[in-house]
Amino acid sequence: MVDDRIVLNGMGQIFELLENGSLHDIDRLDFSEWPTLQIKIEGDKYHSTITPDLAKSLYDFVYDLKRGYAEIKYGTSNLQRLKKEDIALFDSITFKITEGCSDVIAKGFERIFEAIAQSIRDGFKDMTPRQKIATIGIVAGITAGYFAFDSYLEHQHAQEMAQINNDRQRDAYDHTESIAELIVEVSSASPRAEQAISGFRRHVEEGHRGIVHSVSDADHINYSGQNLEEQDIERITHDMPVSADSETYTDIVTVEQMKRLVSRQEVRVSFYSPQFDRQITIKYDMGYLGTRKENRLMEAFSDNVRKSVEIEYSAVFNDDNGDFIRGTLISIGEIYDSPADWSDKLEELENQEEDEDE
């Protein structure tokens, strides 16, 4: 019955449902009102307008959300696993720009989270109903951007930034410590849950950071309740985790996305990496490869045919947890039309890695 559905409105309500233990049917959850993403941008360039960089970052956010969705549903960020019905869910996302300052409101996550809830209900076998509801709340909160920049902003400062008039957005920060405890609880419920939540958060928070990066010249940003001043924007867009020395890899990959950042004279290439069993993005400087090689890369990424291409790239990792941070394209090799064409080459690369390990 429609009257029996629970219309979600924030993390506070999620905690109420967990505390009273009355909800066991995930199908009763209604995502028509939450999550939403609300960003208010103030600055000379931001008066009821959207810049090309901001438009690209919103597109990239949806792309990162797709990768997070794939982590939840399929246990991998490989977008080739998504089916047509999965991709169609993302057509419902809309971005509204209001008058005055650039107030961006992202809606249309309802169908996506109905699918996510169903995947968690049916696929996370080791979790209790309570833990499944908690997981849904966590991924919804991540999408809404509630704690997107915790690793860049000090905890106390984040609490101070949350003192705003929007009760629905502030609601999340009233439960900061409880959310942290909840993430630990559901992540430890099963290896599947830990991988899914970690992967979802990694991809979607990269999308949030990309949005802030695209408006780095703003005077002030209210990002889902977090008031970001100039020094906060600087910290978010420039701070990077401590990294170790880079390592070099050779892979045969199918390019998922390729975009040019003309203002920075760089190109970014995204693909599923067999080395890391997830989607990664690497970059290179325009003109570095030369016209011929870059045209070959473009050939491997066309609107009509997705071919595979052999690439060599360097990768940098986080010293603390070993996570991939960033990569740089070094060279382009052969282009292959089908798996049968590159199977022998792939076997040769794998044998080389085994020899190096020995």
Side-chain angles (χ1 to χ4, degrees):
M1 295 178 58
V2 176
D3 293 341
D4 198 35
R5 291 181 66 79
I6 299 173
V7 180
L8 297 179
N9 58 29
M11 288 301 300
Q13 187 183 21
I14 293 290
F15 278 102
E16 289 177 9
L17 293 172
L18 296 176
E19 287 172 4
N20 63 38
S22 60
L23 178 63
H24 297 283
D25 185 3
I26 289 176
D27 289 336
R28 291 177 57 198
L29 298 177
D30 186 326
F31 301 95
S32 58
E33 297 295 327
W34 186 75
T36 59
L37 176 60
Q38 299 187 39
I39 313 165
K40 181 172 289 187
I41 309 162
E42 298 176 6
D44 293 339
K45 290 167 55 178
Y46 305 101
H47 298 281
S48 307
T49 57
I50 183 169
T51 64
D53 283 345
L54 177 56
K56 287 180 183 178
S57 71
L58 296 176
Y59 169 82
D60 290 340
F61 173 79
V62 176
Y63 179 79
D64 287 321
L65 183 59
K66 284 182 184 178
R67 294 196 285 183
Y69 173 91
E71 289 276 8
I72 296 290
K73 188 166 184 179
Y74 299 108
T76 174
S77 60
N78 186 356
L79 294 185
Q80 295 176 57
R81 290 293 304 275
L82 296 184
K83 301 175 182 177
K84 288 183 178 179
E85 55 265 32
D86 295 318
I87 297 172
L89 298 174
F90 293 82
D91 294 339
S92 61
I93 297 179
T94 59
F95 295 97
K96 179 182 178 182
I97 312 296
T98 61
E99 295 183 3
C101 55
S102 293
D103 194 352
V104 181
I105 302 175
K107 293 186 176 182
F109 298 114
E110 179 177 0
R111 292 173 59 209
I112 296 168
F113 272 86
E114 286 174 354
I116 285 176
Q118 185 176 17
S119 296
I120 291 173
R121 182 196 66 190
D122 298 336
F124 290 46
K125 303 293 186 182
D126 297 334
M127 301 177 77
T128 65
R130 178 186 181 278
Q131 290 170 334
K132 291 179 181 180
I133 293 168
T135 303
I136 293 168
I138 288 169
V139 298
I142 291 170
T143 303
Y146 282 165
F147 25 92
F149 311 115
D150 285 358
S151 58
Y152 299 97
L153 306 173
E154 294 178 3
H155 173 77
Q156 182 59 38
H157 185 40
Q159 291 289 76
E160 292 170 359
M161 289 193 300
Q163 302 307 309
I164 58 174
N165 295 324
N166 187 332
D167 289 338
R168 180 181 295 185
Q169 302 290 10
R170 186 178 62 220
D171 163 86
Y173 300 100
D174 292 336
H175 302 280
T176 302
E177 292 184 8
S178 299
I179 290 172
E181 293 171 0
L182 199 60
I183 291 175
V184 171
E185 177 187 340
V186 297
S187 295
S188 60
S190 70
R192 170 80 174 89
E194 181 178 14
Q195 176 190 349
I197 294 169
S198 174
F200 186 91
R201 183 169 189 173
R202 179 175 63 248
H203 293 304
V204 177
E205 290 190 351
E206 179 65 22
H208 288 306
R209 187 172 173 232
I211 293 173
V212 173
H213 198 289
S214 73
V215 292
S216 58
D217 56 349
D219 297 330
H220 174 265
I221 304 172
N222 185 298
Y223 203 100
S224 288
Q226 299 186 71
N227 286 306
L228 306 178
E229 306 297 343
E230 290 184 18
Q231 66 270 25
D232 305 314
I233 298 169
E234 175 77 13
R235 189 176 300 138
I236 291 168
T237 55
H238 289 87
D239 279 6
M240 291 294 292
V242 176
S243 60
D245 294 335
S246 63
E247 296 184 31
T248 301
Y249 297 93
T250 300
D251 267 337
I252 298 174
V253 304
T254 300
V255 178
E256 298 279 358
Q257 186 187 50
M258 181 174 176
K259 65 178 181 179
R260 296 169 178 268
L261 303 176
V262 179
S263 61
R264 278 181 271 170
Q265 290 293 295
E266 80 178 30
V267 179
R268 293 183 181 176
V269 180
S270 299
F271 54 88
Y272 173 76
S273 167
Q275 298 283 352
F276 310 112
D277 191 27
R278 69 177 180 88
Q279 203 84 5
I280 67 170
T281 298
I282 63 176
K283 67 178 182 178
Y284 64 91
D285 294 333
M286 289 182 181
Y288 169 76
L289 294 176
T291 304
R292 252 176 53 183
K293 288 186 177 180
E294 190 162 331
N295 287 342
R296 288 169 66 191
L297 184 60
M298 291 299 295
E299 180 189 342
F301 178 60
S302 82
D303 292 334
N304 300 316
V305 180
R306 296 294 178 92
K307 301 179 180 180
S308 296
V309 59
E310 181 183 343
I311 64 171
E312 183 181 7
Y313 62 97
S314 64
V316 177
F317 305 90
N318 188 312
D319 270 342
D320 295 331
N321 54 27
D323 283 351
F324 172 89
I325 297 175
R326 60 183 178 271
T328 302
L329 183 63
I330 298 174
S331 67
I332 298 289
E334 295 297 319
I335 295 176
Y336 304 93
D337 291 321
S338 69
D341 294 335
W342 53 260
S343 58
D344 291 341
K345 180 62 177 179
L346 184 60
E347 184 177 352
E348 178 185 333
L349 292 174
E350 290 173 347
N351 290 336
Q352 286 178 359
E353 291 174 8
E354 291 176 1
D355 292 340
E356 290 172 359
D357 290 341
E358 292 176 358

